[in-house]
Amino acid sequence: MNESRAAVRYAKAILNLAVDNKATDAVEKDMRSVVHTVADSKELQDLLASPVVKASLKKTILSDVFKGSNTITQGLINMLVDNKRVSLLNDVAQKFIILNEELKGKSIAHVTTAVPLTKELEAKILEKVSELTGNNVTIQNTVDESILGGFVLRVGDLQYDTSIANKLSNLKREFTNSQ
């Protein structure tokens, strides 16, 4: 929990700096590059998590990997390495993207379902969520068969859980408490 709070703090600070320097688009492009690069490279993930690799080596490697990035992005990487928080780089990048999208008036609705959403259902969800939040919304659908049916919708801090697994869990809790 503390790591995600720290990632949010770093992301907010970088977003404020990018806004002040009118570089939000360039920094967002860099952050998307960081997310994709880290996701695609197991070696880079291991490097970021390793306490054995020296900070100077991490800084050199990350500077080479993200060469040509905005100076704000380079500063973030150097700061995370210097503060021994480089393992948060991917989380900070993801949080930055979310915060910047919100700043633009866009939101991402995370919908977890037991089966993939149909185009019609996706359109209905988009319409309702846009109506509720007042933002331009995009849907990210995750399929998780363990919820059995229904869906779990997350937009920002809001969560709406109508999954059958949740209902069964609540029913079990009611039976246990009534005895």
Side-chain angles (χ1 to χ4, degrees), residues 52-67:
V52 177
V53 179
K54 290 184 179 180
S56 59
L57 181 59
K58 286 182 183 182
K59 197 180 281 191
T60 303
I61 291 170
L62 289 171
S63 293
D64 288 345
V65 171
F66 299 111
K67 183 176 270 183

Side-chain angles (χ1 to χ4, degrees), residues 45-142:
Q45 292 170 19
D46 292 342
L47 173 82
L48 294 175
S50 175
V52 177
V53 179
K54 290 184 179 180
S56 59
L57 181 59
K58 286 182 183 182
K59 197 180 281 191
T60 303
I61 291 170
L62 289 171
S63 293
D64 288 345
V65 171
F66 299 111
K67 183 176 270 183
S69 296
N70 189 292
T71 54
I72 295 171
T73 305
Q74 289 291 335
L76 170 67
I77 292 170
N78 292 334
M79 181 175 50
L80 289 174
V81 171
D82 293 342
N83 293 343
K84 296 179 176 42
R85 294 291 198 130
V86 74
S87 61
L88 294 177
L89 179 62
N90 194 44
D91 291 340
V92 172
Q94 289 174 340
K95 303 282 191 233
F96 178 91
I97 293 167
I98 291 168
L99 291 170
N100 195 37
E101 291 291 320
E102 289 173 358
L103 185 67
K104 294 178 191 174
K106 298 178 182 177
S107 297
I108 299 175
H110 300 276
V111 181
T112 305
T113 55
V115 294
L117 288 175
T118 62
K119 292 292 179 193
E120 298 83 31
L121 191 55
E122 190 172 313
K124 286 180 183 179
I125 292 171
L126 271 174
E127 182 181 327
K128 278 293 186 193
V129 173
S130 293
E131 183 181 306
L132 291 171
T133 63
N135 288 343
N136 184 7
V137 180
T138 56
I139 287 191
Q140 181 178 3
N141 183 217
T142 306

Side-chain angles (χ1 to χ4, degrees), residues 138-153:
T138 56
I139 287 191
Q140 181 178 3
N141 183 217
T142 306
V143 177
D144 181 2
E145 295 173 2
S146 70
I147 69 168
L148 304 175
F151 64 91
V152 178
L153 172 68

